[in-house]
């Protein structure tokens, strides 16, 4: 029996075996083989998306911006109503305040998601509207809009290609390479890929590298026009974020900066790092060399919808419906659910969806290096060599 035929559900052997069975989702490596056997590619997946999913709704786009800033204003008001003092009230106020900080972080991620839509031309028809809304949404969150757009579009162009993708696969090492590394290089792998510390610093490190493009990502070529745009974007971000922090400090000192911005930003960076990882990188995913990569492999086989608590999905504008976004980046956020449902109905195996799971994260940390599969011409994840 061929490898692909083993992937398909087998019929029951008798009437005793005929009770309903929940279909086990295919692993990415199995789906890679199945797609070639069935002749399913990007063209077929994209054709399953209804045309009206590409239609802009100006009022929904504008309302999204008001909703995002409104959520942050409401959270700031609730934080103001939650003074912390060393008494028994701290037993309930500290957990409540921490919950508000998590929500603030998710709302800050939501602003970046709206700017992300702008960067793909998925917010409005006019480029200048996309650009200025993108600047508005990112410049107060320590993220330069053009810096984000350029590095993120590079991720789309080279998704899951080792040394080229600007996200997690970029610096992943094979087991053989790991054994040849010096002490500090091994610490980098152990911290960044083999422990939860990677989630604490991943997005911050990426944001630092984006801020100082092109030095941060040497694989990205920038012409003079892009360099001028990056300079403007970076200076605007420093001015807006710095001005906001200075205003908070002038009003309430370091505690105001900490309470109303820094803690929410900290949780936002963690959530941004988590979202970035789980949508492409887990113990079951694959990584490619450029010669063996196809758009279908990068955007479908190795892209996952990961379901978060509904409040987080609301504040982050459904960005976790990620597969169809990689198929058609110009779909606005408010059509992602409908587009996903349409592809699921036509090609149910090709929308890989799973709940957010600590177990999945732990499995990734336990398998942080790569092993080459010569038959499939790809890398799979494996444990650190002894």
């Amino acid at each position: 029996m061929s490898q692909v035929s083993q992937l398909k559900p087998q019929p029951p052997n008798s009437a005793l075996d005929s009770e309903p069975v929940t279909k086990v989702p295919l692993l990415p490596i199995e789906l890679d083989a199945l797609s070639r056997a069935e002749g399913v590619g990007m063209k077929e997946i994209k054709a399953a998306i209804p045309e009206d999913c590409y239609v802009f709704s100006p009022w929904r786009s504008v309302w999204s911006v008001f909703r995002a800033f409104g959520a942050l204003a409401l959270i700031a008001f609730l934080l103001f109503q939650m003074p912390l003092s060393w008494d028994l009230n701290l037993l309930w106020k500290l957990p409540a305040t921490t919950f508000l900080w998590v929500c603030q972080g998710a709302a800050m991620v939501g602003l970046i998601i709206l700017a992300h839509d702008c960067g793909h031309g998925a917010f409005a028809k006019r480029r200048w509207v996309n650009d200025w809304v993108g600047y508005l949404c990112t410049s107060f969150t320590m993220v330069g809009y053009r810096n984000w757009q350029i590095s993120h579009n590079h991720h789309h162009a080279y998704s899951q290609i080792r040394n080229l993708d600007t996200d997690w696969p970029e610096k992943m090492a094979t087991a053989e390479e790991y054994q040849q590394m010096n002490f500090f290089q091994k610490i980098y792998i152990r911290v960044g890929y083999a422990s939860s510390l990677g989630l604490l610093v991943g997005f911050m490190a990426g944001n630092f590298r984006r801020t100082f493009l092109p030095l941060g990502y040497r694989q990205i070529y920038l012409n003079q026009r892009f360099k001028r745009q990056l300079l403007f974007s970076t200076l605007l971000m420093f001015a807006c974020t710095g001005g906001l922090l200075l205003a908070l400090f002038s009003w309430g000192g370091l505690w105001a900066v900490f309470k109303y911005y820094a803690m929410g930003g900290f949780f936002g960076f963690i959530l941004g790092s988590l979202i970035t990882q789980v949508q492409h990188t887990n113990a079951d995913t694959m990584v490619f060399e450029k010669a063996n990569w196809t758009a279908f492999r990068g955007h479908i086989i190795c892209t996952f919808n990961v379901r978060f608590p509904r409040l987080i999905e609301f504040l982050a504008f459904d960005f976790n419906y990620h597969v169809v976004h990689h198929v058609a980046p110009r779909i606005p956020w408010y059509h992602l659910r409908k587009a996903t449902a349409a592809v699921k109905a036509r090609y149910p195996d090709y929308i890989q969806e799973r709940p957010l799971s600590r177990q999945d994260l732990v499995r990734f940390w336990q398998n942080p290096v790569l092993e080459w599969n010569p038959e499939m011409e790809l890398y799979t994840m494996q444990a650190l060599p002894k």
Side-chain angles (χ1 to χ4, degrees), residues 79 82-84 92-102 259:
L79 286 170
M82 195 79 65
L84 299 179
W92 70 268
K93 283 188 174 181
L94 186 58
T97 300
T98 302
F99 173 75
L100 290 174
W101 282 332
V102 172
K259 181 178 181 181

Side-chain angles (χ1 to χ4, degrees), residues 140 236-250:
F140 293 94
L236 181 65
M237 179 270 290
F238 278 126
C240 292
T241 300
L244 178 58
L245 294 177
L246 182 61
L248 286 172
F249 180 79
S250 300

Side-chain angles (χ1 to χ4, degrees), residues 156-208:
H156 271 263
Y158 301 101
S159 183
Q160 294 301 107
I161 301 180
R162 200 163 73 111
N163 299 321
L164 289 177
D165 191 344
T166 53
D167 285 343
W168 291 83
E170 178 196 14
K171 294 183 179 296
M172 297 192 77
T174 65
E176 293 77 16
E177 290 169 343
Y178 177 83
Q179 290 177 316
Q180 300 300 317
M181 288 179 172
N182 61 40
F183 173 80
F184 295 103
Q185 290 171 325
K186 288 182 177 180
I187 290 296
Y188 177 87
I189 298 297
R190 288 184 174 275
V191 170
Y193 294 97
S195 79
S196 59
L197 291 176
L199 292 178
L200 298 180
V201 301
F203 197 89
M204 287 183 276
N207 196 47
F208 181 83

Side-chain angles (χ1 to χ4, degrees), residues 12-170:
N13 294 324
S14 68
L16 296 177
D17 300 320
S18 61
E19 56 268 356
V21 176
T22 302
K23 185 177 180 181
V24 178
L26 298 178
L27 294 176
I29 197 166
E30 298 170 331
L31 192 55
D32 185 57
L34 182 64
S35 66
R36 284 180 286 176
E38 295 184 338
V40 176
M42 289 288 286
K43 180 180 178 181
E44 287 73 24
I45 300 295
K46 193 169 185 177
I49 300 174
E51 287 297 322
D52 59 358
C53 288
Y54 297 91
V55 176
F56 295 111
S57 172
W59 76 267
R60 293 188 75 173
S61 294
V62 172
W63 169 243
S64 299
V65 177
F66 279 99
R67 197 186 92 179
F69 281 102
L72 285 169
L74 175 61
I75 292 166
F77 173 77
L78 294 175
L79 286 170
F80 181 77
Q81 300 299 318
M82 195 79 65
L84 299 179
S85 56
W86 294 102
D87 54 34
L88 288 178
N89 287 328
L90 196 64
L91 294 176
W92 70 268
K93 283 188 174 181
L94 186 58
T97 300
T98 302
F99 173 75
L100 290 174
W101 282 332
V102 172
C103 291
Q104 184 183 37
M108 294 173 80
V109 169
L111 283 178
I112 295 173
I113 298 309
L114 290 184
H116 159 270
D117 267 22
C118 293
H120 284 297
F123 181 86
K125 292 181 179 180
R126 292 181 172 85
R127 179 180 295 180
W128 70 268
V129 175
N130 284 308
D131 284 347
W132 285 106
V133 172
Y135 283 121
L136 173 67
C137 288
T138 56
S139 295
F140 293 94
T141 60
M142 296 182 287
V143 176
Y145 167 65
R146 195 67 76 188
N147 312 59
W148 168 270
Q149 181 191 37
I150 290 172
S151 62
H152 181 71
N153 285 345
H154 196 84
H155 156 69
H156 271 263
Y158 301 101
S159 183
Q160 294 301 107
I161 301 180
R162 200 163 73 111
N163 299 321
L164 289 177
D165 191 344
T166 53
D167 285 343
W168 291 83
E170 178 196 14

